[in-house]
Amino acid sequence: MFGFCEEAMDVLSSRRADFGDIRIVRNRTQALGVRNGETGMVDDSETLGFGVRVLLGGAWGFASSALLTRAEVRRVSLLAVEIARASATLMERKVKLAPEPAWRDLWQTPFIKDPFAVPVEEKFRTLFEADRLMRRDRRIKSAAASMRFVREHQWHATTEGSRIEQVLLSSGADCRATAVEGAQVQERGWPCSHGGQTLAMGYELIDQLDLPGHAERTAAEAVALLRAPDCPSGEMDLITYGNQLALQIHESVGHASELDRVLGYEESYAGSSFATTEKLGKFRYGSPIVNLVADATLPGGLATAGYDDDAVKAQRWHIVKDGILSGYMTSREFSPQIGLRRSQGSCRADGFANIPIVRICNLSLMPGSAGSLDDLVRSTRRGVIMENNKSWSIDQRRLNFQFGCEIGWLVENGKIKKMVRNPTYQGITPEFWGSCDAICGPDEWRLWGVANCGKGQPGQTAAMCHGSSPARFKKVKVGVKAG
């Protein structure tokens, strides 16, 4: 494949490009699903193509193709050059890239069991068994279980001399039960909502998730929610964990710290950010125990790789340190605009046909000293635990938000008293993170995958992970019904 890459490099060098690269990407995706005792989805597809990016006269050009021949690589490379020249006639400022060494490397996601080597029949046996167990109660009107696997093999070459080959692998699964009684409808999912759990691992993740082993409890909780009381409204302590805290991190810190959004480049579509550059190193984003770390080297992380799509080597850095805004998600293009000498490596593209853009890296809330979840509950006088996101809304500057969850439990005088349904909460980002007074320790820390983050025009999908231990937030408005 690097032979095709050299063809592009020859063209871009002959046209004296300031910078250029080619990414060849072969992507295989397998998705399987069962619903109510029947096969609901079977997809096993593969794509192969390449994209050429060129910086000429301070402006970008990009072109791609699904036909991989030497002649096509030359044609598309020349087209990218012409697009860059046309873009230069309209640019407001010249693009300058942060420097990066030339890398030559091969990197692959570690795994134990290749998911594509596991027979489809075995996968469907697991899915049908989970589906059957969820439907044992007549009040479960819909049951579904699914698996998905992605392998992305990419070859990346730059005019600066980088030659990087990477093989990125991810696996995921979930099961979901919907209970109905009269006008009441409630859902529960395992292990989390919005497509379930996905991590950069092999089929060993599916074995660990054990969908059939959790199917009956998932259905039982959906049924129990039918007659559970609604979450009370008012101001009380909130304990979040699992998928919900992952989404809280994603929406109120991850997107708010994307540097292109901070600088206004996404404002017309995806919105801007309140975390503007004059606040860097000064602004109190959260309480002193809040440490949020971006990490492209995190084992199991969906944004973990050897290098990003700017050919920047993977790194680990603070976004929030001891409660203070301390960093951003960056690319080589935007880092110099705020005086950074090097990109932190958060630039990725969706497949071969899209230009790389700033994306959220793996971003995690670091463990605290509050011990176990049981310890956290025992130290809570009046509060509510919420798990698994059901709905979310956040404004264009990532400040005002409201989240709804699948299930909640009331805590009174250090004990879990009862299940509640339709729990919701709302807040303002720095006030919310500023109210964090306790985070459980490392033994409670878990990693959660977000496999469907959308951004950009044309739209791109990216995946990343957020890790956390359960955390408590003081005096949060809860029980606010979604409009």
Side-chain angles (χ1 to χ4, degrees), residues 263-275:
L263 294 174
Y265 286 82
E266 289 286 314
E267 190 167 8
S268 64
Y269 180 64
S272 60
S273 171
F274 76 94

Side-chain angles (χ1 to χ4, degrees), residues 279-360:
K279 296 183 174 74
L280 186 63
K282 307 171 187 175
F283 181 74
R284 179 153 294 284
Y285 210 106
S287 68
I289 66 170
V290 172
N291 287 279
L292 288 142
V293 174
D295 190 353
T297 71
L298 183 65
L302 293 172
T304 295
Y307 305 83
D308 77 347
D309 291 341
D310 265 347
V312 174
K313 193 172 180 63
Q315 299 164 60
R316 183 179 189 271
W317 70 101
H318 275 86
I319 298 297
V320 176
K321 185 176 183 180
D322 300 331
I324 302 299
L325 176 65
S326 299
Y328 295 109
M329 309 291 175
T330 64
S331 68
R332 293 181 66 183
E333 176 180 356
F334 294 112
S335 295
Q337 294 189 31
I338 61 169
L340 295 179
R341 295 182 179 179
R342 186 189 183 198
S343 170
Q344 237 102 38
S346 300
C347 189
R348 291 184 287 153
D350 181 2
F352 68 86
N354 288 297
I355 193 167
I357 59 176
V358 177
R359 299 309 303 249
I360 302 171

